[in-house]
């Protein structure tokens, strides 16, 4: 895990630099991949992806289906998706899937807060399978509609059709209590502090991955023990858009 922490620290720092410079080059700029499988192979070579299951899922769910036209979906960089939101860089999605893998086994329940264009929710659906539940919540209705159309084109479409995958318009800070508790919770925007509602919806034995902070942010791993007590540790420094209200997000500058 220390190796992963070091790699992610390097990746997140470089991604922030490129985002500020509005660069069109990814982390591996000279050999930037334009294919989903090549992107996954690069993440394997850098040691971000180690799990066979994460490899299979990220190869099956084509990131290109979830990035708006004109974007560079296979470059290791976050991409704007409209409404002052972004889709995270591939290395961050891979890292979160690795951190949550044991809580994304067949039959388990997963919640994706700030599901955006639906990419990670689709990955969750493949991991938990039709006997599990993958739930995305997003407070921008237009993104919810777009994400559903994206998923329909992807390998996760059967899960949308059978109801094991669903996307809902809701304030992610409140989670989705209707299907709680969850074995895995991922939050795709930075909260000033961990929302109590999400801790409550985490199943004993479950894990949440959430960026926390304002100016300085840390990706935190929240583990709820079987007795209900909660342990929290820092994984790596990150930079995410804020987890806030719909109104604040739409009017952010």
């Amino acid at each position: 895990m220390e190796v992963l922490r070091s790699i992610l620290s390097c990746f997140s720092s470089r991604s922030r630099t490129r985002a500020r410079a509005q660069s069109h080059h990814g982390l591996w700029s000279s050999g930037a991949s334009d294919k989903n499988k090549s992107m996954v192979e690069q993440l394997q070579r850098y040691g971000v992806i180690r799990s066979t299951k994460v490899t299979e899922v990220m190869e099956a769910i084509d990131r290109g289906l979830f990035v708006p036209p004109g974007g560079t979906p296979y470059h290791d960089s976050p991409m704007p998706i409209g409404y002052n939101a972004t889709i995270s860089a591939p290395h961050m999605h891979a890292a979160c899937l690795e951190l949550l893998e044991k809580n994304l086994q067949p039959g388990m329940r997963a919640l994706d807060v700030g599901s955006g264009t639906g990419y990670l929710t689709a990955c969750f659906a493949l991991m938990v399978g039709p006997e599990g539940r993958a739930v995305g919540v997003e407070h921008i209705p237009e993104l919810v509609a777009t994400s559903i159309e994206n998923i329909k084109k992807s390998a996760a479409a059967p899960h949308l059709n059978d109801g094991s995958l669903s996307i809902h318009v809701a304030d992610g800070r409140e989670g989705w209590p209707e299907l709680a508790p969850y074995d895995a919770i991922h939050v795709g925007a930075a909260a000033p502090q961990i929302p109590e509602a999400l801790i409550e919806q985490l199943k004993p034995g479950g894990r949440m991955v959430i960026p926390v902070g304002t100016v300085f942010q840390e990706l935190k791993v929240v583990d709820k023990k079987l007795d209900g007590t909660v342990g929290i540790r820092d994984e790596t420094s990150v930079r995410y858009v804020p987890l806030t209200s719909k109104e604040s997000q739409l009017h952010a500058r």
Side-chain angles (χ1 to χ4, degrees):
M1 189 57 69
E2 288 301 321
V3 173
L4 178 60
R5 187 190 307 273
S6 175
I7 291 170
L8 288 181
S9 179
C10 176
F11 274 25
S12 58
S13 175
R14 294 187 184 187
S15 292
R16 290 196 300 272
T17 299
R18 281 165 171 77
R20 287 193 295 266
Q22 296 183 329
S23 171
H24 293 289
H25 298 287
L27 175 65
W28 36 84
S29 54
S30 62
S33 170
D34 60 357
K35 298 289 185 181
N36 194 69
K37 184 176 175 62
S38 295
M39 177 193 78
V40 174
E41 290 172 349
Q42 291 280 19
L43 291 170
Q44 287 179 296
R45 282 193 284 272
Y46 275 89
V48 180
I49 297 178
R50 295 171 295 167
S51 155
T52 299
K53 186 63 175 178
V54 172
T55 300
E56 292 172 350
V57 167
M58 289 190 68
E59 286 182 349
I61 300 296
D62 187 347
R63 181 177 161 90
L65 298 174
F66 296 85
V67 172
T72 50
Y74 309 114
H75 287 206
D76 194 59
S77 177
M79 295 286 160
I81 58 174
Y83 311 97
N84 290 318
T86 62
I87 179 172
S88 295
H91 75 266
M92 287 308 308
H93 280 152
C96 289
L97 288 171
E98 287 278 344
L99 288 167
L100 291 170
E101 182 190 9
K102 291 182 179 178
N103 298 86
L104 292 169
Q105 298 301 309
M108 291 185 172
R109 295 191 173 207
L111 175 65
D112 186 18
V113 173
S115 50
T117 61
Y119 174 79
L120 206 61
T121 319
C123 291
F124 286 175
L126 290 196
M127 295 183 81
V128 302
E131 62 271 40
R133 286 300 303 262
V135 181
V137 290
E138 168 60 56
H139 60 193
I140 305 295
E142 293 85 352
L143 285 177
V144 170
T146 298
S147 68
I148 291 171
E149 292 305 310
N150 294 339
I151 292 167
K152 286 179 179 178
K153 302 171 189 174
S154 78
H159 300 279
L160 192 65
N161 296 334
D162 68 20
S164 60
L165 187 167
S166 58
I167 309 285
H168 307 273
V169 179
D171 186 336
R173 296 171 296 181
E174 301 300 322
W176 190 252
E178 288 87 340
L179 291 171
Y182 299 97
D183 299 277
I185 298 177
H186 166 266
V187 182
Q193 57 273 328
I194 302 172
E196 189 61 34
L198 298 183
I199 294 177
E200 291 174 359
Q201 291 173 39
L202 191 62
K203 183 179 180 179
R207 170 173 284 188
M208 172 165 52
V209 176
I210 176 172
V212 177
T214 51
V215 177
F216 301 102
Q217 301 172 3
E218 292 289 331
L219 187 67
K220 294 186 181 288
V221 177
V222 181
D223 289 308
K224 182 179 280 190
K225 299 177 183 178
L226 294 177
D227 63 6
T229 58
V230 174
I232 303 172
R233 64 176 172 83
D234 292 347
E235 179 63 26
T236 188
S237 297
V238 291
R239 190 64 181 168
Y240 279 73
V241 296
L243 182 68
T244 185
S245 68
K246 174 184 174 182
E247 292 72 23
S248 295
Q249 179 175 322
L250 291 176
H251 293 97
R253 292 185 178 182

